Amino acid sequence: MTVNNNETNFRDESKDLTKREQSDEINESMTRKVVILYWTKVYKGTPKVNSNPDAWPFFYAGNNCPIPCELTADKKRVEEASALVVHSRNTHEIPPKIYQNLTWILHTNENPRFTPSLRDPNFMKQFNYLASYRLDSDFPCPEFVKPILEPPVPFAQKNGLIIAVFSHCERVRTRYLAELMKYIKVDSYGRCLGNKHGLMRNGKKTSRHSVTETQRNYKFSIVFPNADCDFYMTEKIYSALSAGSVPIWLGTDGIDEVLRWGNLKHSIIKVKNFSSPKALAEYLAKLAKNETEYNKYLKWKFEGFQFPKEYYKSAIGQWWDGIPLYCRICLKVSQDPQGRNGLPVDRCDGPDQIRTIEKWLQKV
């Protein structure tokens, strides 16, 4: 695979332009160091701040921020902090009220269906900024990170048809997948509708890398997030695209805000475009035998992303190719420490796909 050198140069120039524009906005009052303290644990562990940004970019400030900026998880440094960050799943670790004069930031990569705090107005009103999977949040940081341009396994060498890896049997995706499996072969490696072994050890899924490597040999990957919430896109879509396995998507239409850039528009297959699971199965069976049509979904793999200039100012462009997350947060806190007077609740008011699936099942 060869990537257009002009694209690489343009990307670098655009990133430099973004940095210069932000640097121009910096004045003398913004030159003091901004310390961001990640106050709560992430699930059960302390966040590994400033770790490898390629592997885990959610807790990274970088070394070249236009202003002095530091992210820490050391609560002993609270007196130095300009802002505190709380994780949406650890609401019992709210900072004491004596620190309400600081900027409070809520971080979530979880959807509101399974995160009650996001639906609680009394909780949400405490925060000034939101760092979230939502592309319309103050600091977008979805688990859908930039896919890898590694060449896919050639069409003729892929010995698997469809792969699914689910550990939680949510009603919508489970019912749809069960119906789809009546009409076409699906290798399901998870605990949910599992019929294949190799990716589970002691009941737990192996590393993301292992999943991606297995997907490389499959023509299609089932990518059904556990809820159809606005902009909710997980690492599963990143994994399938990076593996060169065409994703079959059942989730938010907000994914179009990502796929409209860089040859990605025709990179996934949407469940909603088919009248039934049977119709989808018939399409996949035909596509699996047609190398020319199949490879159209992998055009971005062969030709590179080819991002236009406008991409670098978009929410996903800033996340994929902009300055690191916590550098952006430092810049904003230095300019506007007050932020918003509380955050709106998020109730996950996406389309009711359960009702749609029930209609499909009635036709069987």
Side-chain angles (χ1 to χ4, degrees):
M1 177 194 66
T2 58
V3 178
N4 191 322
N5 288 330
N6 290 332
E7 176 196 340
T8 303
N9 293 336
F10 181 73
R11 180 175 66 247
D12 293 340
E13 290 171 3
S14 296
K15 289 169 72 176
D16 289 341
L17 176 62
T18 300
K19 290 179 181 179
R20 287 198 301 271
E21 289 174 343
Q22 289 168 332
S23 295
D24 290 341
E25 297 176 358
I26 299 171
N27 54 46
E28 293 182 1
S29 65
M30 297 167 57
T31 57
R32 76 176 183 87
K33 187 174 187 177
V34 177
V35 176
I36 309 294
L37 171 56
Y38 207 105
W39 182 269
T40 65
K41 294 178 181 179
V42 179
Y43 299 107
K44 297 181 180 180
T46 301
K48 297 179 180 179
V49 300
N50 298 321
S51 58
N52 182 350
D54 294 323
W56 198 244
F58 307 98
F59 308 106
Y60 188 68
N63 299 315
N64 300 303
C65 196
I67 65 171
C69 171
E70 183 179 357
L71 173 65
T72 181
D74 184 359
K75 289 185 180 179
K76 295 178 182 179
R77 300 184 59 190
V78 66
E79 298 302 326
E80 303 174 53
S82 299
L84 305 178
V85 185
V86 173
H87 191 275
S88 63
R89 287 286 182 89
N90 282 305
T91 57
H92 60 285
E93 293 185 76
I94 291 293
K97 291 183 179 181
I98 59 172
Y99 300 124
Q100 286 183 335
N101 60 314
L102 302 179
T103 305
W104 282 30
I105 300 166
L106 179 64
H107 174 206
T108 184
N109 287 106
E110 311 296 337
N111 70 68
R113 287 275 176 89
F114 300 95
T115 312
S117 62
L118 300 175
R119 309 192 303 267
D120 182 352
N122 290 325
F123 176 78
M124 297 295 282
K125 71 181 182 181
Q126 301 175 90
F127 296 92
N128 308 108
Y129 288 112
L130 177 64
S132 166
Y133 65 85
R134 295 186 63 103
L135 295 183
D136 58 358
S137 65
D138 300 300
F139 308 107
C141 53
E143 289 189 337
F144 185 1
V145 294
K146 189 177 183 181
I148 297 170
L149 273 174
E150 183 179 1
V153 172
F155 181 86
Q157 295 179 24
K158 292 187 176 184
N159 51 27
L161 182 58
I162 305 172
I163 182 175
V165 186
F166 293 153
S167 295
H168 301 285
C169 299
E170 290 81 17
R171 183 185 180 198
V172 173
R173 63 179 180 178
T174 303
R175 293 187 69 184
Y176 191 95
L177 181 59
E179 185 65 20
L180 182 68
M181 292 170 76
K182 294 179 181 179
Y183 304 104
I184 195 166
K185 185 179 187 301
V186 178
D187 288 345
S188 182
Y189 285 84
R191 290 192 295 268
C192 185
L193 301 177
N195 59 16
K196 195 81 171 177
H197 302 287
L199 285 178
M200 303 289 288
R201 294 177 182 173
N202 299 322
K204 295 182 178 181
K205 189 171 64 177
T206 56
S207 69
R208 293 181 183 181
H209 176 74
S210 298
V211 173
T212 304
E213 284 302 302
T214 303
Q215 287 175 311
R216 283 174 55 80
N217 293 307
Y218 281 85
K219 290 178 179 175
F220 307 102
S221 289
I222 298 291
V223 183
F224 296 176
N226 60 22
D228 182 19
C229 302
D230 288 343
F231 297 114
Y232 185 59
M233 298 169 281
T234 70
E235 79 286 350
K236 291 181 175 62
I237 185 68
Y238 156 81
S239 179
L241 288 170
S242 295
S245 178
V246 177
I248 302 168
W249 176 258
L250 175 61
T252 175
D253 285 336
I255 197 170
D256 294 335
E257 289 298 312
V258 178
L259 301 180
R260 67 192 184 99
W261 304 107
N263 273 342
L264 290 171
K265 189 173 183 179
H266 191 61
S267 62
I268 72 171
I269 296 170
K270 289 185 176 183
V271 164
K272 75 168 200 171
N273 291 337
F274 296 86
S275 60
S276 67
K278 182 179 179 181
L280 173 60
E282 291 172 349
Y283 176 75
L284 295 176
K286 291 180 181 178
L287 191 61
K289 298 176 182 178
N290 190 325
E291 182 174 0
T292 299
E293 290 301 311
Y294 176 85
N295 280 338
K296 288 181 180 179
Y297 286 92
L298 300 176
K299 179 180 178 180
W300 66 280
K301 283 280 195 181
F302 303 123
E303 299 182 3
F305 287 109
Q306 299 181 3
F307 291 124
K309 184 177 180 179
E310 294 76 17
Y311 156 80
Y312 295 96
K313 293 185 178 181
S314 69
I316 199 65
Q318 286 288 302
W319 175 230
W320 283 2
D321 283 305
I323 59 179
L325 174 62
Y326 275 91
C327 176
R328 283 188 282 138
I329 291 176
C330 279
L331 284 166
K332 177 59 74 172
V333 169
S334 66
Q335 296 170 21
D336 182 12
Q338 183 174 350
R340 291 193 269 173
N341 185 23
L343 303 176
V345 297
D346 189 351
R347 304 187 187 281
C348 189
D349 296 326
D352 186 0
Q353 298 203 54
I354 293 178
R355 191 172 302 169
T356 302
I357 288 176
E358 287 174 341
K359 289 181 180 179
W360 284 327
L361 295 176
Q362 290 172 4
K363 297 178 182 178
V364 177

